[in-house]
């Protein structure tokens, strides 16, 4: 629960996580809370500062771009593996969704529901890739960029650009063109990073 709150910035970067308050909220011992904070620290979501306690980590600009460079490689790999291993029917189903209902969502500006479908596709690709080490690495990275994804997608025209990129990727996956699908996914993430760089003053 804390991971989700931090990833979605329901707990703001720099906020102090008080063991006593958390123990009371979750109805567990402070020792259990310390264990949880230690796990979050290992994932890079929390830092422990002497005489200040546990604080939610802040991402600086260089970290953000480094993470996107890693995402480009890892999500590209996941897409290629999924195209090679996953059932084509799954990608046809997702393609129909991105060509139809999700196009309507973007046109209406219903980006919250669009993001939910985007995250569902991402999970299906990672599952189909069938590589637990890759899945764990992507899980950690996603936690650190989840808020940024939601900020980038509201930039002018960005949601429709992303939707079209996913359509092209899914079309390649349906054809069994795994390397092409990987290239399209990597290019999509690179374009998201460029949009982030362009509008960084407004969203970071």
């Amino acid at each position: 629960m804390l991971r989700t709150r931090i990833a979605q910035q329901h707990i703001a970067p720099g906020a102090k996580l008080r063991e006593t308050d958390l123990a009371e909220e979750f109805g567990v011992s402070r020792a259990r809370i310390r264990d949880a904070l230690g796990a979050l620290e290992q994932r890079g979501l929390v830092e422990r500062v002497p005489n200040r306690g546990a604080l939610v980590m802040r991402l600086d600009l260089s970290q953000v771009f480094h993470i996107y460079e890693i995402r480009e490689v890892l999500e590209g790999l996941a897409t290629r593996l999924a195209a090679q291993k996953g059932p084509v029917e799954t990608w046809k189903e997702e393609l129909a969704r991105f060509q139809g209902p999700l196009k309507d969502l973007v046109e209406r500006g219903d980006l919250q529901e669009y993001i939910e479908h985007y995250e569902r596709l991402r999970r299906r690709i990672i599952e189909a890739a069938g590589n637990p080490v890759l899945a764990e690495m992507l899980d950690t990275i996603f936690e650190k960029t989840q808020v940024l994804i939601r900020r980038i997608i509201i930039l002018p025209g960005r949601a429709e650009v992303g939707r079209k990129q996913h359509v092209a990727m899914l079309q390649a996956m349906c054809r069994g063109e795994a390397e092409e699908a990987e290239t399209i996914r990597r290019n999509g993430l690179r374009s998201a990073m460029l949009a982030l760089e362009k509008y960084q003053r407004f969203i970071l």
Side-chain angles (χ1 to χ4, degrees), residues 88-108 110 112-125 159-160 162-164 166-171 174:
V88 174
E89 292 74 18
T90 297
W91 316 131
K92 287 182 178 179
E93 174 189 326
E94 292 291 349
L95 175 60
R97 185 174 290 110
F98 271 82
Q99 286 179 319
L102 297 195
K103 187 174 188 295
D104 294 337
L105 288 177
V106 172
E107 289 175 350
R108 294 201 308 266
D110 191 349
Q112 178 57 42
E113 187 173 349
Y114 175 83
I115 289 170
E116 291 171 4
H117 285 284
Y118 163 80
E119 292 178 356
R120 173 190 167 181
L121 171 62
R122 184 180 177 280
R123 289 192 300 270
R124 295 185 84 171
I125 287 174
E160 178 61 8
R163 187 193 68 82
K164 288 180 178 178
H166 279 80
V167 166
M169 179 192 74
L170 287 163
Q171 287 173 333
C174 289

Side-chain angles (χ1 to χ4, degrees), residues 87-192:
V88 174
E89 292 74 18
T90 297
W91 316 131
K92 287 182 178 179
E93 174 189 326
E94 292 291 349
L95 175 60
R97 185 174 290 110
F98 271 82
Q99 286 179 319
L102 297 195
K103 187 174 188 295
D104 294 337
L105 288 177
V106 172
E107 289 175 350
R108 294 201 308 266
D110 191 349
L111 298 182
Q112 178 57 42
E113 187 173 349
Y114 175 83
I115 289 170
E116 291 171 4
H117 285 284
Y118 163 80
E119 292 178 356
R120 173 190 167 181
L121 171 62
R122 184 180 177 280
R123 289 192 300 270
R124 295 185 84 171
I125 287 174
I126 293 171
E127 181 180 347
N131 186 317
V133 176
L134 176 61
E136 183 178 356
M137 294 173 74
L138 283 170
D139 182 41
T140 301
I141 290 172
F142 189 64
E143 288 174 347
K144 295 180 180 179
T145 59
Q146 196 171 356
V147 170
L148 289 175
I149 291 169
R150 293 168 181 266
R151 292 180 182 178
I152 291 171
I153 208 166
I154 65 172
L155 295 174
R158 182 63 215 172
E160 178 61 8
V161 168
R163 187 193 68 82
K164 288 180 178 178
Q165 289 168 341
H166 279 80
V167 166
M169 179 192 74
L170 287 163
Q171 287 173 333
M173 295 175 79
C174 289
R175 295 193 302 268
E177 298 288 349
E179 291 185 2
E180 181 183 349
E182 177 182 14
T183 298
I184 293 169
R185 182 61 184 141
R186 291 186 63 161
N187 288 341
L189 284 164
R190 196 172 303 143
S191 71

